[in-house]
Amino acid sequence: MAKARTRYLCSDCGTSTAQWVGKCPGCKAWNSLKEETITDSGKRAHRYSTASPQGGVLTQKARPLAEVTIENIMRLSSGEAELDRVLGGGVVPGSLILLGGEPGIGKSTLMLQVAMMVSASGAKVLYVSGEESPEQVRMRAQRIGAVPKSLMVLPETRVPMVLNALQEDQFSLLVVDSVQTLDQPEVDGAPGSVSQIRESVAAITAYAKSFALPVFLVGHITKEGSLAGPKVLEHMVDVVLQFEGDRNHAYRMLRAAKNRFGTTSELGIYEMMGDGLKAVENPSEVLLGEAGEASSGSAISVALEGARPLLVEMQALVSTAVYGTPQRSGTGFDLRRLNMLLAVLEKRCGFKLGSFDVFLNLAGGLKISDPANDLAVVAAILSSSLDLPLDRDTCFAGEVGLSGEIRPVARLDERMSEAARLGMKRMLVSGHGKRPPTPKGLTLVPIKRVSEIQRVIF
Ligand code: TYD
Ligand code: MG
């Protein structure tokens, strides 16, 4: 019998050591090494044989790059326009797409929706559910819509069984919910462990690549917000998608953290409804529609998320601090940036906010980290502390520098068109740099320093 040994694997980078150490020698992470048993029985040998166990050809000959043709690479539509856009125009055959997100955000719902859309045209789709029973999946599908005949569900966690099921039929798409439940019997360790995830995904990758089968993998994330499991997982797959949002809000954002077939700047916005996820076509309208009438402390920012201009409402509340140390909190906005803006307001505008609590909220539960939001944040803070509402048809796009200067922002023309489209009349922008022609109905108000804002907006 093969001798069992133990080794330690880093859950971040996959480095293996013979002994436990507190700090990973590979990625220098603390406390990331986990013990795993290995039984040596020469199982790696089959990987070097010329044919894969499934019959596909794994060996390739070197050939001139110029002779590699790309015309016949077709992208399949996932049936979800937003998802297709985030992927860069559809699903590439043979690609592995990892979808990560917090529990309850809607990963399984999105995957089932995609599976239903693809199979609605008659294409066979295999939905491997390691977390839910077929009955649970059916119940969910019932909420979403008509269940196509060619959608197959397989409650299975063992990788060889999944591969067997794939061989029984010609599938056009495989969905695995989730990678953390996958179990590769020839590898030691419990499902979800570093080596299990790595080997399971490697086996599926080998199959997918040799049969040009697109695969969606659902991945859990840790409480720190990174994908659970080894970092190598993210290296192994072609696309890493993040599904984020606030569970208490209906809106969800889908973006690519890595994409071998397109940009990572596209953004998809979904709303969770009673019958599944619905793409939000005009996010600005929806987000502004929630705003209601003008009140102090609210300013509209023309942000750019990925390649998409979005009008979002920034809400600030400035109130006297009653408990000693003033509080600062930002939802959907970086707290350090908020503190920086407050310091700039104090130093460059003489606004003393040191004894006030400052709260900042991005409406809709979205998280947007565009520096162009600075100007709207400053305006919202001023508006709240002076208790003067701003016009509902004024919007902002500018970055605030440490010396109080307003810096120009990227792609102003796209932001302006979006603002004009939504009926904005005035847009405060940086007075520095070039400004493209203004669309009809919109007036640009260039300002050079934060100290000018007050004069212009009230
Ligand atoms: P789920 O897809 O199970 O999340 P995840 O797989 O990321 O853990 O769904 C999350 C929530 O969505 C769940 O609490 C119920 C809700 N939901 C709806 O509001 N409408 C629906 O049509 C469906 C299917 C789910
Ligand atoms: Mg789920």
Side-chain angles (χ1 to χ4, degrees), residues 99 101-113 127 131-132 139-141 143-144 177 218 220 243 247 252 272-277:
L99 174 71
E102 287 188 14
I105 204 82
K107 301 181 293 299
S108 305
T109 308
L110 181 64
M111 287 298 95
L112 189 60
Q113 257 175 255
Y127 187 96
E131 295 185 346
E132 291 164 315
M139 262 155 57
R140 190 197 298 271
R143 287 178 76 171
I144 298 171
D177 188 2
V218 172
H220 294 170
F243 208 26
R247 244 188 307 166
R252 308 275 186 268
M272 182 60 98
M273 314 273 250
D275 56 348
L277 289 154

PDB file of all heavy atoms in Angstrom, residues 99 101-113 127 131-132 139-141 143-144 177 218 220 243 247 252 272-277, ligand 1:
ATOM      1  N   LEU A  99     -17.597  32.411 -11.242  1.00  0.00           N
ATOM      2  CA  LEU A  99     -18.461  33.476 -10.740  1.00  0.00           C
ATOM      3  C   LEU A  99     -18.407  33.477  -9.218  1.00  0.00           C
ATOM      4  O   LEU A  99     -18.816  32.515  -8.572  1.00  0.00           O
ATOM      5  CB  LEU A  99     -19.906  33.230 -11.208  1.00  0.00           C
ATOM      6  CG  LEU A  99     -20.969  34.171 -10.662  1.00  0.00           C
ATOM      7  CD1 LEU A  99     -20.831  35.562 -11.257  1.00  0.00           C
ATOM      8  CD2 LEU A  99     -22.369  33.638 -10.932  1.00  0.00           C
ATOM      9  N   GLY A 101     -19.111  35.454  -5.390  1.00  0.00           N
ATOM     10  CA  GLY A 101     -19.979  36.425  -4.744  1.00  0.00           C
ATOM     11  C   GLY A 101     -20.398  35.946  -3.374  1.00  0.00           C
ATOM     12  O   GLY A 101     -20.244  34.765  -3.048  1.00  0.00           O
ATOM     13  N   GLU A 102     -20.904  36.864  -2.589  1.00  0.00           N
ATOM     14  CA  GLU A 102     -21.327  36.529  -1.225  1.00  0.00           C
ATOM     15  C   GLU A 102     -22.524  35.593  -1.234  1.00  0.00           C
ATOM     16  O   GLU A 102     -23.266  35.540  -2.201  1.00  0.00           O
ATOM     17  CB  GLU A 102     -21.694  37.813  -0.491  1.00  0.00           C
ATOM     18  CG  GLU A 102     -20.484  38.619  -0.133  1.00  0.00           C
ATOM     19  CD  GLU A 102     -20.817  39.790   0.762  1.00  0.00           C
ATOM     20  OE1 GLU A 102     -21.935  39.833   1.309  1.00  0.00           O
ATOM     21  OE2 GLU A 102     -19.952  40.648   0.909  1.00  0.00           O
ATOM     22  N   PRO A 103     -22.715  34.878  -0.125  1.00  0.00           N
ATOM     23  CA  PRO A 103     -23.887  33.998  -0.069  1.00  0.00           C
ATOM     24  C   PRO A 103     -25.178  34.799  -0.208  1.00  0.00           C
ATOM     25  O   PRO A 103     -25.283  35.898   0.352  1.00  0.00           O
ATOM     26  CB  PRO A 103     -23.805  33.346   1.313  1.00  0.00           C
ATOM     27  CG  PRO A 103     -22.653  33.940   2.016  1.00  0.00           C
ATOM     28  CD  PRO A 103     -21.859  34.744   1.056  1.00  0.00           C
ATOM     29  N   GLY A 104     -26.095  34.293  -0.971  1.00  0.00           N
ATOM     30  CA  GLY A 104     -27.396  34.942  -1.084  1.00  0.00           C
ATOM     31  C   GLY A 104     -27.445  36.090  -2.069  1.00  0.00           C
ATOM     32  O   GLY A 104     -28.471  36.744  -2.214  1.00  0.00           O
ATOM     33  N   ILE A 105     -26.349  36.349  -2.767  1.00  0.00           N
ATOM     34  CA  ILE A 105     -26.335  37.490  -3.672  1.00  0.00           C
ATOM     35  C   ILE A 105     -27.070  37.147  -4.970  1.00  0.00           C
ATOM     36  O   ILE A 105     -27.574  38.027  -5.666  1.00  0.00           O
ATOM     37  CB  ILE A 105     -24.872  37.943  -3.925  1.00  0.00           C
ATOM     38  CG1 ILE A 105     -24.816  39.392  -4.343  1.00  0.00           C
ATOM     39  CG2 ILE A 105     -24.154  37.089  -4.943  1.00  0.00           C
ATOM     40  CD1 ILE A 105     -24.884  40.326  -3.198  1.00  0.00           C
ATOM     41  N   GLY A 106     -27.129  35.859  -5.299  1.00  0.00           N
ATOM     42  CA  GLY A 106     -27.856  35.457  -6.501  1.00  0.00           C
ATOM     43  C   GLY A 106     -27.027  34.699  -7.522  1.00  0.00           C
ATOM     44  O   GLY A 106     -27.392  34.658  -8.699  1.00  0.00           O
ATOM     45  N   LYS A 107     -25.925  34.100  -7.089  1.00  0.00           N
ATOM     46  CA  LYS A 107     -25.058  33.360  -8.022  1.00  0.00           C
ATOM     47  C   LYS A 107     -25.810  32.187  -8.649  1.00  0.00           C
ATOM     48  O   LYS A 107     -25.830  32.024  -9.862  1.00  0.00           O
ATOM     49  CB  LYS A 107     -23.809  32.825  -7.301  1.00  0.00           C
ATOM     50  CG  LYS A 107     -22.949  33.880  -6.660  1.00  0.00           C
ATOM     51  CD  LYS A 107     -21.736  33.269  -5.995  1.00  0.00           C
ATOM     52  CE  LYS A 107     -22.057  32.383  -4.780  1.00  0.00           C
ATOM     53  NZ  LYS A 107     -22.727  33.069  -3.682  1.00  0.00           N
ATOM     54  N   SER A 108     -26.446  31.382  -7.784  1.00  0.00           N
ATOM     55  CA  SER A 108     -27.161  30.215  -8.305  1.00  0.00           C
ATOM     56  C   SER A 108     -28.306  30.648  -9.202  1.00  0.00           C
ATOM     57  O   SER A 108     -28.581  30.009 -10.224  1.00  0.00           O
ATOM     58  CB  SER A 108     -27.711  29.371  -7.155  1.00  0.00           C
ATOM     59  OG  SER A 108     -26.688  29.027  -6.271  1.00  0.00           O
ATOM     60  N   THR A 109     -28.967  31.729  -8.841  1.00  0.00           N
ATOM     61  CA  THR A 109     -30.076  32.227  -9.647  1.00  0.00           C
ATOM     62  C   THR A 109     -29.586  32.642 -11.025  1.00  0.00           C
ATOM     63  O   THR A 109     -30.167  32.265 -12.042  1.00  0.00           O
ATOM     64  CB  THR A 109     -30.757  33.416  -8.944  1.00  0.00           C
ATOM     65  OG1 THR A 109     -31.087  33.027  -7.618  1.00  0.00           O
ATOM     66  CG2 THR A 109     -31.997  33.867  -9.673  1.00  0.00           C
ATOM     67  N   LEU A 110     -28.498  33.383 -11.077  1.00  0.00           N
ATOM     68  CA  LEU A 110     -27.959  33.840 -12.359  1.00  0.00           C
ATOM     69  C   LEU A 110     -27.547  32.651 -13.222  1.00  0.00           C
ATOM     70  O   LEU A 110     -27.851  32.593 -14.417  1.00  0.00           O
ATOM     71  CB  LEU A 110     -26.757  34.767 -12.124  1.00  0.00           C
ATOM     72  CG  LEU A 110     -26.109  35.346 -13.380  1.00  0.00           C
ATOM     73  CD1 LEU A 110     -27.078  36.241 -14.130  1.00  0.00           C
ATOM     74  CD2 LEU A 110     -24.848  36.124 -13.055  1.00  0.00           C
ATOM     75  N   MET A 111     -26.879  31.676 -12.595  1.00  0.00           N
ATOM     76  CA  MET A 111     -26.412  30.507 -13.345  1.00  0.00           C
ATOM     77  C   MET A 111     -27.570  29.685 -13.885  1.00  0.00           C
ATOM     78  O   MET A 111     -27.543  29.207 -15.009  1.00  0.00           O
ATOM     79  CB  MET A 111     -25.521  29.638 -12.445  1.00  0.00           C
ATOM     80  CG  MET A 111     -24.166  30.226 -12.188  1.00  0.00           C
ATOM     81  SD  MET A 111     -23.210  30.417 -13.692  1.00  0.00           S
ATOM     82  CE  MET A 111     -23.486  32.060 -14.194  1.00  0.00           C
ATOM     83  N   LEU A 112     -28.600  29.537 -13.059  1.00  0.00           N
ATOM     84  CA  LEU A 112     -29.754  28.771 -13.505  1.00  0.00           C
ATOM     85  C   LEU A 112     -30.461  29.502 -14.648  1.00  0.00           C
ATOM     86  O   LEU A 112     -30.912  28.893 -15.614  1.00  0.00           O
ATOM     87  CB  LEU A 112     -30.709  28.543 -12.333  1.00  0.00           C
ATOM     88  CG  LEU A 112     -31.857  27.583 -12.603  1.00  0.00           C
ATOM     89  CD1 LEU A 112     -31.339  26.208 -12.990  1.00  0.00           C
ATOM     90  CD2 LEU A 112     -32.757  27.457 -11.384  1.00  0.00           C
ATOM     91  N   GLN A 113     -30.505  30.826 -14.536  1.00  0.00           N
ATOM     92  CA  GLN A 113     -31.117  31.612 -15.600  1.00  0.00           C
ATOM     93  C   GLN A 113     -30.382  31.424 -16.917  1.00  0.00           C
ATOM     94  O   GLN A 113     -30.992  31.245 -17.965  1.00  0.00           O
ATOM     95  CB  GLN A 113     -31.087  33.098 -15.208  1.00  0.00           C
ATOM     96  CG  GLN A 113     -32.432  33.574 -14.748  1.00  0.00           C
ATOM     97  CD  GLN A 113     -32.389  35.002 -14.252  1.00  0.00           C
ATOM     98  OE1 GLN A 113     -32.434  35.212 -13.057  1.00  0.00           O
ATOM     99  NE2 GLN A 113     -32.314  35.971 -15.127  1.00  0.00           N
ATOM    100  N   TYR A 127     -26.480  21.053 -15.551  1.00  0.00           N
ATOM    101  CA  TYR A 127     -26.368  21.863 -14.343  1.00  0.00           C
ATOM    102  C   TYR A 127     -26.011  20.931 -13.188  1.00  0.00           C
ATOM    103  O   TYR A 127     -26.830  20.128 -12.753  1.00  0.00           O
ATOM    104  CB  TYR A 127     -27.701  22.571 -14.077  1.00  0.00           C
ATOM    105  CG  TYR A 127     -27.670  23.578 -12.952  1.00  0.00           C
ATOM    106  CD1 TYR A 127     -27.486  24.929 -13.220  1.00  0.00           C
ATOM    107  CD2 TYR A 127     -27.827  23.184 -11.629  1.00  0.00           C
ATOM    108  CE1 TYR A 127     -27.452  25.864 -12.191  1.00  0.00           C
ATOM    109  CE2 TYR A 127     -27.793  24.117 -10.598  1.00  0.00           C
ATOM    110  CZ  TYR A 127     -27.602  25.449 -10.893  1.00  0.00           C
ATOM    111  OH  TYR A 127     -27.567  26.372  -9.880  1.00  0.00           O
ATOM    112  N   GLU A 131     -24.856  21.617  -4.124  1.00  0.00           N
ATOM    113  CA  GLU A 131     -25.355  22.248  -2.903  1.00  0.00           C
ATOM    114  C   GLU A 131     -26.840  22.043  -2.715  1.00  0.00           C
ATOM    115  O   GLU A 131     -27.329  22.023  -1.589  1.00  0.00           O
ATOM    116  CB  GLU A 131     -25.059  23.754  -2.953  1.00  0.00           C
ATOM    117  CG  GLU A 131     -23.596  24.034  -2.939  1.00  0.00           C
ATOM    118  CD  GLU A 131     -23.260  25.511  -2.865  1.00  0.00           C
ATOM    119  OE1 GLU A 131     -24.168  26.338  -3.086  1.00  0.00           O
ATOM    120  OE2 GLU A 131     -22.090  25.818  -2.605  1.00  0.00           O
ATOM    121  N   GLU A 132     -27.564  21.942  -3.829  1.00  0.00           N
ATOM    122  CA  GLU A 132     -29.012  21.843  -3.710  1.00  0.00           C
ATOM    123  C   GLU A 132     -29.511  20.573  -4.376  1.00  0.00           C
ATOM    124  O   GLU A 132     -28.909  20.091  -5.333  1.00  0.00           O
ATOM    125  CB  GLU A 132     -29.665  23.061  -4.367  1.00  0.00           C
ATOM    126  CG  GLU A 132     -29.402  24.337  -3.605  1.00  0.00           C
ATOM    127  CD  GLU A 132     -29.689  25.573  -4.423  1.00  0.00           C
ATOM    128  OE1 GLU A 132     -29.285  25.624  -5.597  1.00  0.00           O
ATOM    129  OE2 GLU A 132     -30.310  26.490  -3.889  1.00  0.00           O
ATOM    130  N   MET A 139     -37.565  24.066  -7.998  1.00  0.00           N
ATOM    131  CA  MET A 139     -38.392  25.113  -7.400  1.00  0.00           C
ATOM    132  C   MET A 139     -37.915  26.508  -7.814  1.00  0.00           C
ATOM    133  O   MET A 139     -38.699  27.388  -8.127  1.00  0.00           O
ATOM    134  CB  MET A 139     -38.362  24.996  -5.872  1.00  0.00           C
ATOM    135  CG  MET A 139     -39.569  24.276  -5.322  1.00  0.00           C
ATOM    136  SD  MET A 139     -39.246  23.524  -3.728  1.00  0.00           S
ATOM    137  CE  MET A 139     -38.717  24.903  -2.760  1.00  0.00           C
ATOM    138  N   ARG A 140     -36.594  26.653  -7.800  1.00  0.00           N
ATOM    139  CA  ARG A 140     -36.025  27.930  -8.200  1.00  0.00           C
ATOM    140  C   ARG A 140     -36.339  28.197  -9.673  1.00  0.00           C
ATOM    141  O   ARG A 140     -36.723  29.304 -10.057  1.00  0.00           O
ATOM    142  CB  ARG A 140     -34.517  27.905  -7.976  1.00  0.00           C
ATOM    143  CG  ARG A 140     -33.866  29.258  -8.127  1.00  0.00           C
ATOM    144  CD  ARG A 140     -32.387  29.093  -8.300  1.00  0.00           C
ATOM    145  NE  ARG A 140     -31.751  28.473  -7.147  1.00  0.00           N
ATOM    146  CZ  ARG A 140     -31.292  29.141  -6.113  1.00  0.00           C
ATOM    147  NH1 ARG A 140     -31.393  30.439  -6.099  1.00  0.00           N
ATOM    148  NH2 ARG A 140     -30.722  28.527  -5.106  1.00  0.00           N
ATOM    149  N   ALA A 141     -36.164  27.157 -10.505  1.00  0.00           N
ATOM    150  CA  ALA A 141     -36.400  27.310 -11.940  1.00  0.00           C
ATOM    151  C   ALA A 141     -37.850  27.712 -12.201  1.00  0.00           C
ATOM    152  O   ALA A 141     -38.139  28.526 -13.080  1.00  0.00           O
ATOM    153  CB  ALA A 141     -36.060  26.015 -12.663  1.00  0.00           C
ATOM    154  N   ARG A 143     -39.712  29.531 -10.416  1.00  0.00           N
ATOM    155  CA  ARG A 143     -39.892  30.961 -10.166  1.00  0.00           C
ATOM    156  C   ARG A 143     -39.435  31.772 -11.359  1.00  0.00           C
ATOM    157  O   ARG A 143     -39.970  32.832 -11.647  1.00  0.00           O
ATOM    158  CB  ARG A 143     -39.059  31.408  -8.958  1.00  0.00           C
ATOM    159  CG  ARG A 143     -39.595  30.949  -7.643  1.00  0.00           C
ATOM    160  CD  ARG A 143     -38.681  31.401  -6.530  1.00  0.00           C
ATOM    161  NE  ARG A 143     -38.827  32.823  -6.215  1.00  0.00           N
ATOM    162  CZ  ARG A 143     -38.263  33.387  -5.164  1.00  0.00           C
ATOM    163  NH1 ARG A 143     -37.533  32.666  -4.334  1.00  0.00           N
ATOM    164  NH2 ARG A 143     -38.427  34.659  -4.912  1.00  0.00           N
ATOM    165  N   ILE A 144     -38.395  31.262 -12.019  1.00  0.00           N
ATOM    166  CA  ILE A 144     -37.783  32.049 -13.097  1.00  0.00           C
ATOM    167  C   ILE A 144     -38.583  31.970 -14.389  1.00  0.00           C
ATOM    168  O   ILE A 144     -38.732  32.967 -15.086  1.00  0.00           O
ATOM    169  CB  ILE A 144     -36.320  31.598 -13.311  1.00  0.00           C
ATOM    170  CG1 ILE A 144     -35.521  31.855 -12.031  1.00  0.00           C
ATOM    171  CG2 ILE A 144     -35.689  32.309 -14.483  1.00  0.00           C
ATOM    172  CD1 ILE A 144     -34.138  31.277 -12.026  1.00  0.00           C
ATOM    173  N   ASP A 177     -22.190  24.218  -9.580  1.00  0.00           N
ATOM    174  CA  ASP A 177     -22.549  25.044  -8.419  1.00  0.00           C
ATOM    175  C   ASP A 177     -22.295  24.216  -7.161  1.00  0.00           C
ATOM    176  O   ASP A 177     -23.102  23.361  -6.819  1.00  0.00           O
ATOM    177  CB  ASP A 177     -24.032  25.440  -8.537  1.00  0.00           C
ATOM    178  CG  ASP A 177     -24.445  26.453  -7.487  1.00  0.00           C
ATOM    179  OD1 ASP A 177     -23.588  26.872  -6.700  1.00  0.00           O
ATOM    180  OD2 ASP A 177     -25.626  26.818  -7.456  1.00  0.00           O
ATOM    181  N   VAL A 218     -19.339  28.197 -10.039  1.00  0.00           N
ATOM    182  CA  VAL A 218     -19.726  29.128  -8.977  1.00  0.00           C
ATOM    183  C   VAL A 218     -18.705  28.988  -7.859  1.00  0.00           C
ATOM    184  O   VAL A 218     -18.336  27.871  -7.492  1.00  0.00           O
ATOM    185  CB  VAL A 218     -21.143  28.814  -8.464  1.00  0.00           C
ATOM    186  CG1 VAL A 218     -21.474  29.647  -7.241  1.00  0.00           C
ATOM    187  CG2 VAL A 218     -22.166  29.062  -9.559  1.00  0.00           C
ATOM    188  N   HIS A 220     -17.433  30.331  -3.882  1.00  0.00           N
ATOM    189  CA  HIS A 220     -17.786  31.082  -2.665  1.00  0.00           C
ATOM    190  C   HIS A 220     -16.711  32.121  -2.395  1.00  0.00           C
ATOM    191  O   HIS A 220     -15.584  31.968  -2.816  1.00  0.00           O
ATOM    192  CB  HIS A 220     -17.836  30.138  -1.467  1.00  0.00           C
ATOM    193  CG  HIS A 220     -18.933  29.142  -1.570  1.00  0.00           C
ATOM    194  ND1 HIS A 220     -19.048  28.091  -0.717  1.00  0.00           N
ATOM    195  CD2 HIS A 220     -19.961  29.041  -2.437  1.00  0.00           C
ATOM    196  CE1 HIS A 220     -20.101  27.374  -1.043  1.00  0.00           C
ATOM    197  NE2 HIS A 220     -20.673  27.931  -2.094  1.00  0.00           N
ATOM    198  N   PHE A 243     -19.844  39.085  -8.509  1.00  0.00           N
ATOM    199  CA  PHE A 243     -21.230  39.506  -8.401  1.00  0.00           C
ATOM    200  C   PHE A 243     -21.335  40.204  -7.063  1.00  0.00           C
ATOM    201  O   PHE A 243     -21.124  39.597  -6.018  1.00  0.00           O
ATOM    202  CB  PHE A 243     -22.113  38.252  -8.429  1.00  0.00           C
ATOM    203  CG  PHE A 243     -23.493  38.484  -8.971  1.00  0.00           C
ATOM    204  CD1 PHE A 243     -23.740  39.509  -9.860  1.00  0.00           C
ATOM    205  CD2 PHE A 243     -24.547  37.675  -8.605  1.00  0.00           C
ATOM    206  CE1 PHE A 243     -25.005  39.729 -10.377  1.00  0.00           C
ATOM    207  CE2 PHE A 243     -25.819  37.878  -9.114  1.00  0.00           C
ATOM    208  CZ  PHE A 243     -26.034  38.909 -10.002  1.00  0.00           C
ATOM    209  N   ARG A 247     -27.127  42.956  -0.037  1.00  0.00           N
ATOM    210  CA  ARG A 247     -28.225  42.001  -0.037  1.00  0.00           C
ATOM    211  C   ARG A 247     -29.567  42.645   0.322  1.00  0.00           C
ATOM    212  O   ARG A 247     -30.625  42.143  -0.001  1.00  0.00           O
ATOM    213  CB  ARG A 247     -27.929  40.852   0.913  1.00  0.00           C
ATOM    214  CG  ARG A 247     -27.815  39.551   0.167  1.00  0.00           C
ATOM    215  CD  ARG A 247     -27.714  38.391   1.093  1.00  0.00           C
ATOM    216  NE  ARG A 247     -26.644  38.577   2.058  1.00  0.00           N
ATOM    217  CZ  ARG A 247     -26.512  37.838   3.141  1.00  0.00           C
ATOM    218  NH1 ARG A 247     -27.383  36.889   3.392  1.00  0.00           N
ATOM    219  NH2 ARG A 247     -25.516  38.029   3.979  1.00  0.00           N
ATOM    220  N   ARG A 252     -27.677  44.581  -8.148  1.00  0.00           N
ATOM    221  CA  ARG A 252     -26.464  43.765  -8.131  1.00  0.00           C
ATOM    222  C   ARG A 252     -25.577  44.219  -9.276  1.00  0.00           C
ATOM    223  O   ARG A 252     -26.068  44.512 -10.359  1.00  0.00           O
ATOM    224  CB  ARG A 252     -26.806  42.295  -8.386  1.00  0.00           C
ATOM    225  CG  ARG A 252     -27.882  41.729  -7.509  1.00  0.00           C
ATOM    226  CD  ARG A 252     -27.302  41.258  -6.198  1.00  0.00           C
ATOM    227  NE  ARG A 252     -28.281  40.588  -5.386  1.00  0.00           N
ATOM    228  CZ  ARG A 252     -29.036  41.198  -4.474  1.00  0.00           C
ATOM    229  NH1 ARG A 252     -28.934  42.500  -4.304  1.00  0.00           N
ATOM    230  NH2 ARG A 252     -29.884  40.517  -3.745  1.00  0.00           N
ATOM    231  N   MET A 272     -32.745  42.108  -8.466  1.00  0.00           N
ATOM    232  CA  MET A 272     -33.331  40.839  -8.029  1.00  0.00           C
ATOM    233  C   MET A 272     -34.830  41.035  -7.846  1.00  0.00           C
ATOM    234  O   MET A 272     -35.268  41.855  -7.053  1.00  0.00           O
ATOM    235  CB  MET A 272     -32.675  40.397  -6.714  1.00  0.00           C
ATOM    236  CG  MET A 272     -33.161  39.070  -6.193  1.00  0.00           C
ATOM    237  SD  MET A 272     -32.901  37.667  -7.300  1.00  0.00           S
ATOM    238  CE  MET A 272     -31.406  36.960  -6.630  1.00  0.00           C
ATOM    239  N   MET A 273     -35.601  40.293  -8.624  1.00  0.00           N
ATOM    240  CA  MET A 273     -37.060  40.410  -8.557  1.00  0.00           C
ATOM    241  C   MET A 273     -37.640  39.111  -8.017  1.00  0.00           C
ATOM    242  O   MET A 273     -36.911  38.162  -7.752  1.00  0.00           O
ATOM    243  CB  MET A 273     -37.631  40.651  -9.951  1.00  0.00           C
ATOM    244  CG  MET A 273     -36.908  41.687 -10.755  1.00  0.00           C
ATOM    245  SD  MET A 273     -37.532  43.304 -10.437  1.00  0.00           S
ATOM    246  CE  MET A 273     -38.325  43.626 -11.980  1.00  0.00           C
ATOM    247  N   GLY A 274     -38.948  39.062  -7.942  1.00  0.00           N
ATOM    248  CA  GLY A 274     -39.606  37.840  -7.481  1.00  0.00           C
ATOM    249  C   GLY A 274     -39.417  36.685  -8.447  1.00  0.00           C
ATOM    250  O   GLY A 274     -39.475  35.524  -8.069  1.00  0.00           O
ATOM    251  N   ASP A 275     -39.179  37.004  -9.721  1.00  0.00           N
ATOM    252  CA  ASP A 275     -38.996  35.943 -10.707  1.00  0.00           C
ATOM    253  C   ASP A 275     -37.601  35.994 -11.328  1.00  0.00           C
ATOM    254  O   ASP A 275     -37.437  35.997 -12.536  1.00  0.00           O
ATOM    255  CB  ASP A 275     -40.084  36.019 -11.776  1.00  0.00           C
ATOM    256  CG  ASP A 275     -40.128  37.380 -12.455  1.00  0.00           C
ATOM    257  OD1 ASP A 275     -39.473  38.325 -11.940  1.00  0.00           O
ATOM    258  OD2 ASP A 275     -40.794  37.520 -13.490  1.00  0.00           O
ATOM    259  N   GLY A 276     -36.613  36.067 -10.479  1.00  0.00           N
ATOM    260  CA  GLY A 276     -35.242  36.007 -10.963  1.00  0.00           C
ATOM    261  C   GLY A 276     -34.592  37.368 -11.131  1.00  0.00           C
ATOM    262  O   GLY A 276     -35.146  38.401 -10.727  1.00  0.00           O
ATOM    263  N   LEU A 277     -33.419  37.359 -11.746  1.00  0.00           N
ATOM    264  CA  LEU A 277     -32.659  38.588 -11.936  1.00  0.00           C
ATOM    265  C   LEU A 277     -33.042  39.223 -13.261  1.00  0.00           C
ATOM    266  O   LEU A 277     -33.142  38.543 -14.268  1.00  0.00           O
ATOM    267  CB  LEU A 277     -31.170  38.268 -11.953  1.00  0.00           C
ATOM    268  CG  LEU A 277     -30.566  37.865 -10.607  1.00  0.00           C
ATOM    269  CD1 LEU A 277     -29.339  36.998 -10.821  1.00  0.00           C
ATOM    270  CD2 LEU A 277     -30.207  39.088  -9.789  1.00  0.00           C
TER     271      LEU A 277
HETATM  272  P1  TYD B   1     -29.188  32.503  -4.619  1.00  0.00           P
HETATM  273  O1  TYD B   1     -29.108  32.465  -6.096  1.00  0.00           O
HETATM  274  O2  TYD B   1     -29.475  31.221  -3.925  1.00  0.00           O
HETATM  275  O3  TYD B   1     -27.836  33.097  -4.034  1.00  0.00           O
HETATM  276  P2  TYD B   1     -26.359  32.434  -3.971  1.00  0.00           P
HETATM  277  O4  TYD B   1     -26.336  31.242  -4.857  1.00  0.00           O
HETATM  278  O5  TYD B   1     -25.447  33.526  -4.427  1.00  0.00           O
HETATM  279  O6  TYD B   1     -26.106  32.085  -2.560  1.00  0.00           O
HETATM  280  O7  TYD B   1     -30.353  33.534  -4.295  1.00  0.00           O
HETATM  281  C1  TYD B   1     -30.289  34.530  -3.358  1.00  0.00           C
HETATM  282  C2  TYD B   1     -31.586  35.172  -2.975  1.00  0.00           C
HETATM  283  O8  TYD B   1     -32.357  35.611  -4.037  1.00  0.00           O
HETATM  284  C3  TYD B   1     -32.464  34.288  -2.137  1.00  0.00           C
HETATM  285  O9  TYD B   1     -32.428  34.780  -0.821  1.00  0.00           O
HETATM  286  C4  TYD B   1     -33.840  34.444  -2.693  1.00  0.00           C
HETATM  287  C5  TYD B   1     -33.724  35.532  -3.710  1.00  0.00           C
HETATM  288  N1  TYD B   1     -34.499  35.302  -4.905  1.00  0.00           N
HETATM  289  C6  TYD B   1     -35.395  36.274  -5.340  1.00  0.00           C
HETATM  290  O10 TYD B   1     -35.572  37.314  -4.708  1.00  0.00           O
HETATM  291  N2  TYD B   1     -36.089  36.050  -6.507  1.00  0.00           N
HETATM  292  C7  TYD B   1     -35.923  34.926  -7.233  1.00  0.00           C
HETATM  293  O11 TYD B   1     -36.558  34.766  -8.283  1.00  0.00           O
HETATM  294  C8  TYD B   1     -34.997  33.937  -6.786  1.00  0.00           C
HETATM  295  C9  TYD B   1     -34.780  32.674  -7.566  1.00  0.00           C
HETATM  296  C10 TYD B   1     -34.292  34.164  -5.627  1.00  0.00           C
END
